[in-house]
Amino acid sequence: KAFLNENPNCYPLVLSLEIHCTKPFQDIMARDMIAIFGDSLFVPNEETLHGSIPSPADLRGKVVLKGRRIIESNDSNDTDNDSDSDDSEVEDKFSANESFDEKTSSDDRTRKEISPELSRIIYLQSMSVKNFEESASHPSFHMHSLGESEVRKYCRKKDQRDSWIAYNQTHITRTYPSAWRVKSGNYSPMSAWSAGCQLVAINLQTSDYAKRLNDGRFRENGGCGYVLKPPSINGADNSPPQLFVIHLKVLAGYCLPKPRGEKRGECINPYVHVCLYDVDGGREIEINRQTDTVNNNGFNPIWNQMDDFKFKVQNPDVAMLQLSVWDKGVTDDFIASSSIPVSCIREGYRGVKLFDENHTRSGPFECASLLIDVKIKRGKEA
């Protein structure tokens, strides 16, 4: 609420509720959220429930709740409620091997009962998937929550992937990391983005390549948390993507700090790792390139790179280029990086601002940057 008070025109905040309490406590949850959020809470009515999804612009300054609703018989379409928990992949695997006594089953059913008071203020409702053609006929507030293994499964087959993309043009899909990732690692968000998924959840507590891709994707629109889907994914443009080739040279670096911004220690030995993350027909592609190492120079390292790094881009609307700087040693240490949507890359000599593992440019990272030379060849030139 404090954030909304300071940013009254922000795009909507979506709260995903994992409801494990009984109906009396659900009533308390509902009353508390109504009291705390006040007019900022989006409460659906008949028009919004049976019409199209309101646009982010229509929901500026609002909090939208995702959870379980009481299903009306005419809305159920023989579809069961999906799990609200991100542990569903683990739960499904153990459910076949575990037996529960009658009391446990009864308690579980009690927790799954939904309070009418809470149901009234929930808008987005997770439903299980039978097939995407059937799901597309459901009310627009019905959505799917899919674990990363299901994302891979639906992307493998072209007909399922095409149906999923069409579904996401009128409905919402949320994806999330597997609960088996006990160290909070991340899956690649590229496949989910290429299928038009709107909510691609990752473990933000882990600073890995996937989080850096996510930071770069949403920096495209000022870091507001929303980016327009390209016409090729949103159904406005069915023409095949225009393939092109990026030729890139890493020329120099400036003011590269020590790993984690440490003030003391030996001079760094920086090198730059450049990776293209792309998707071709549901298959993820990674093309990796790496510069030589410049020893003992983090202030103004110069890479005498004679040959271009060549990257053939299959899906320009989705592909991303990630440049990350590392300190060569017994174990290479991450210094800083920048992830750039390919659609935002321009030709010529370009300065690339670098960000630390928390995606900030404060302190010793304030001036960290790379100088690169970019050439883009399209069509027959490529």
Side-chain angles (χ1 to χ4, degrees):
K1 182 59 177 177
F3 175 84
L4 291 172
N5 290 338
E6 294 180 3
N7 303 273
N9 292 320
C10 70
Y11 286 121
L13 304 179
V14 180
L15 298 185
S16 181
L17 307 180
E18 293 194 11
I19 304 168
H20 301 289
C21 51
T22 57
K23 290 172 72 173
F25 287 102
Q26 293 177 31
D27 290 338
I28 295 173
M29 287 172 57
R31 291 193 291 269
D32 285 347
M33 286 188 285
I34 291 171
I36 292 169
F37 294 128
D39 293 338
S40 298
L41 182 63
F42 175 72
V43 179
N45 53 32
E46 286 299 314
E47 182 179 356
T48 54
L49 286 176
H50 296 95
S52 59
I53 300 173
S55 70
D58 294 334
L59 295 174
R60 282 183 178 272
K62 295 291 186 180
V63 174
V64 179
L65 301 181
K66 168 193 168 293
R68 297 201 305 272
R69 292 175 50 85
I70 296 175
I71 303 177
E72 300 175 8
S73 58
N74 60 332
D75 285 343
S76 64
N77 292 310
D78 298 324
T79 306
D80 297 327
N81 265 317
D82 198 2
S83 171
D84 290 313
S85 173
D86 288 357
D87 295 337
S88 58
E89 291 183 356
V90 177
E91 292 167 357
D92 291 344
K93 189 156 187 173
F94 280 105
S95 61
N97 300 320
E98 291 186 353
S99 60
F100 301 94
D101 58 34
E102 187 174 336
K103 181 180 184 302
T104 302
S105 300
S106 176
D107 291 344
D108 188 56
R109 284 194 298 270
T110 301
R111 287 194 298 270
K112 287 188 176 182
E113 292 180 355
I114 303 301
S115 153
E117 193 170 349
L118 181 60
S119 174
R120 183 181 67 85
I121 62 175
I122 289 175
Y123 177 51
L124 298 173
Q125 174 182 353
S126 286
M127 307 296 287
S128 57
V129 182
K130 291 185 177 178
N131 62 74
F132 289 109
E133 291 86 352
E134 179 181 338
S135 296
S137 66
H138 294 175
S140 60
F141 67 89
H142 287 186
M143 61 172 289
H144 294 316
S145 290
L146 305 176
E148 61 175 279
S149 61
E150 293 175 291
V151 173
R152 290 191 292 269
K153 179 181 74 173
Y154 292 127
C155 284
R156 286 193 195 107
K157 296 184 179 179
K158 185 179 185 302
D159 56 342
Q160 288 186 330
R161 184 172 182 273
D162 290 344
S163 299
W164 191 14
I165 292 174
Y167 169 84
N168 285 332
Q169 292 168 11
T170 56
H171 294 70
I172 290 176
T173 297
R174 169 180 170 267
T175 67
Y176 55 87
S178 169
W180 292 104
R181 293 184 176 272
V182 294
K183 293 185 178 180
S184 296
N186 279 305
Y187 65 112
S188 170
M190 299 299 297
S191 290
W193 285 338
S194 71
C197 297
Q198 295 87 347
L199 304 173
V200 181
I202 63 172
N203 289 314
L204 293 175
Q205 68 270 32
T206 303
S207 296
D208 56 12
Y209 82 98
K211 180 179 181 297
R212 294 192 281 271
L213 287 175
N214 188 76
D215 292 337
R217 172 68 68 194
F218 290 96
R219 195 167 65 248
E220 177 183 349
N221 199 21
C224 69
Y226 284 78
V227 175
L228 278 175
K229 289 195 287 187
S232 60
I233 296 176
N234 215 26
D237 182 7
N238 294 320
S239 59
Q242 182 185 16
L243 308 184
F244 61 82
V245 175
I246 297 174
H247 295 264
L248 183 146
K249 283 184 179 179
V250 180
L251 302 178
Y254 300 95
C255 301
L256 304 180
K258 294 178 175 59
R260 297 170 294 281
E262 295 174 354
K263 295 181 179 180
R264 296 183 179 182
E266 298 178 351
C267 291
I268 63 172
N269 305 311
Y271 67 87
V272 181
H273 178 258
V274 186
C275 183
L276 176 74
Y277 294 90
D278 200 356
V279 179
D280 181 19
R283 178 176 61 91
E284 292 193 16
I285 300 171
E286 290 184 20
I287 303 176
N288 294 277
R289 299 290 184 267
Q290 184 174 309
T291 68
D292 295 331
T293 300
V294 176
N295 293 319
N296 300 319
N297 189 349
F299 181 66
N300 59 348
I302 297 175
W303 288 276
N304 294 317
Q305 183 182 339
M306 303 302 295
D307 299 325
D308 296 344
F309 291 155
K310 183 178 178 180
F311 301 97
K312 186 176 181 180
V313 181
Q314 303 291 334
N315 193 339
D317 289 337
V318 177
M320 296 194 67
L321 195 68
Q322 186 173 102
L323 298 96
S324 52
V325 182
W326 296 78
D327 179 19
K328 188 71 173 179
V330 177
T331 57
D332 297 358
D333 293 321
F334 173 78
I335 296 176
S337 74
S338 183
S339 299
I340 309 165
V342 165
S343 58
C344 297
I345 293 177
R346 300 295 178 262
E347 289 190 282
Y349 293 100
R350 300 291 171 180
V352 179
K353 294 180 179 180
L354 298 175
F355 298 81
D356 66 9
E357 61 183 9
N358 297 314
H359 196 238
T360 65
R361 280 178 56 79
S362 58
F365 294 87
E366 186 175 2
C367 299
S369 62
L370 295 174
L371 178 64
I372 63 174
D373 180 18
V374 180
K375 295 182 177 66
I376 298 176
K377 294 185 178 180
R378 294 179 172 84
K380 295 182 179 180
E381 295 180 355

